[in-house]
Amino acid sequence: DTAVSQTPKYLVTQMGNDKSIKCEQNLGHDTMYWYKQDSKKFLKIMFSYNNKELIINETVPNRFSPKSPDKAHLNLHINSLELGDSAVYFCASSHEKKRLYNEQFFGPGTRLTVL
Amino acid sequence: KNQVEQSPQSLIILEGKNCTLQCNYTVSPFSNLRWYKQDTGRGPVSLTIMTFSENTKSNGRYTATLDADTKQSSLHITASQLSDSASYICVVSGGGANNLFFGTGTRLTVIP
């Protein structure tokens, strides 16, 4: 009955590799997000995406790309991983029509460690 | 510049005691303010949301207040429990495009 799920929970990889993190939500939401939480626990939005619009935080390197096969999934693909990419990545979802209240439901996070 | 600042950064209290966490923001125009609780190793979970016209809202032992004039919010936790140990994040929606602005959080530790 998990609402927002992410895989894997932990990811350890070498610098320069390409990796993907998967996210799925079963809430029927039409908007999904990716956040990065750094070592200081600050949550920073990377992308918001629904079937109409992709909004990219301009500070996100183009090595990061969201891929959405359908409304229930938003995967995060990262090319040429760097040490600074080490962080916890959270997926979230919300309903566009309730956007005024912006309640987002978060996944459990994926801890990425780049060696 | 749209910003959200929280204080204190961290707080340790004894089980059963009350505490208050602060959130100051400069986001304009303002849409709403939400407090999230983030347990270690988990994603944030919404506790309360307040719009411009609301100045207090409760969720069990959690009571949030909002002063839209001074752009301040507080989260008061009554009779703390060990399970209240978590990070509490203040998130303000607004800035003209209903963007979300996150505070850096307050790390609360409740000790027996």
Side-chain angles (χ1 to χ4, degrees):
Chain A
D1 58 348
T2 304
V4 182
S5 60
Q6 296 178 227
T7 55
K9 189 169 177 62
Y10 300 96
L11 181 56
V12 181
T13 188
Q14 297 285 339
M15 204 165 50
N17 284 349
D18 302 338
K19 290 293 180 184
S20 292
I21 307 172
K22 295 183 177 181
C23 178
E24 176 181 3
Q25 54 93 5
N26 61 8
L27 296 167
H29 290 163
D30 52 13
T31 305
M32 297 182 72
Y33 311 80
W34 276 106
Y35 288 85
K36 179 181 180 181
Q37 189 171 44
D38 59 26
S39 57
K40 296 183 179 179
K41 305 300 182 184
F42 183 61
L43 266 173
K44 187 173 181 180
I45 191 166
M46 301 176 71
F47 306 99
S48 67
Y49 185 88
N50 63 22
N51 56 8
K52 303 172 187 174
E53 187 177 21
L54 170 65
I55 301 174
I56 302 173
N57 182 328
E58 61 185 13
T59 67
V60 176
N62 58 14
R63 298 181 294 104
F64 290 79
S65 56
K67 298 185 188 303
S68 180
D70 54 59
K71 283 197 322 183
H73 297 83
L74 182 65
N75 304 325
L76 181 65
H77 189 75
I78 315 169
N79 290 326
S80 304
L81 278 156
E82 300 178 357
L83 295 177
D85 297 334
S86 296
V88 180
Y89 292 84
F90 286 98
C91 176
S93 72
S94 68
H95 199 292
E96 177 68 15
K97 289 186 178 178
K98 295 182 180 179
R99 192 174 181 185
L100 178 65
Y101 292 96
N102 274 320
E103 178 172 7
Q104 297 182 13
F105 294 80
F106 285 80
T110 295
R111 180 174 291 279
L112 171 65
T113 303
V114 182
L115 304 176
Chain B
K1 186 177 180 181
N2 293 308
Q3 285 186 318
V4 178
E5 295 184 349
Q6 293 185 241
S7 61
Q9 279 191 329
S10 61
L11 183 61
I12 301 174
I13 62 172
L14 291 174
E15 185 179 10
K17 296 296 185 182
N18 304 335
C19 67
T20 300
L21 314 180
Q22 299 290 343
C23 174
N24 297 337
Y25 62 93
T26 59
V27 177
S28 182
F30 172 84
S31 178
N32 60 70
L33 184 149
R34 189 183 293 277
W35 283 93
Y36 281 90
K37 178 187 179 188
Q38 184 177 15
D39 292 311
T40 301
R42 301 282 190 95
V45 175
S46 178
L47 291 175
T48 66
I49 179 173
M50 288 183 293
T51 57
F52 185 87
S53 59
E54 298 171 302
N55 56 22
T56 186
K57 186 169 282 188
S58 292
N59 178 1
R61 294 179 298 102
Y62 300 100
T63 299
T65 64
L66 174 67
D67 186 333
D69 292 330
T70 61
K71 299 186 177 181
Q72 296 180 326
S73 175
S74 65
L75 180 68
H76 186 74
I77 304 175
T78 304
S80 61
Q81 300 176 358
L82 298 179
S83 60
D84 293 331
S85 295
S87 289
Y88 292 83
I89 304 170
C90 175
V91 182
V92 178
S93 176
N98 273 339
N99 291 321
L100 295 180
F101 298 90
F102 285 75
T104 52
T106 292
R107 176 71 201 172
L108 174 66
T109 303
V110 181
I111 58 175

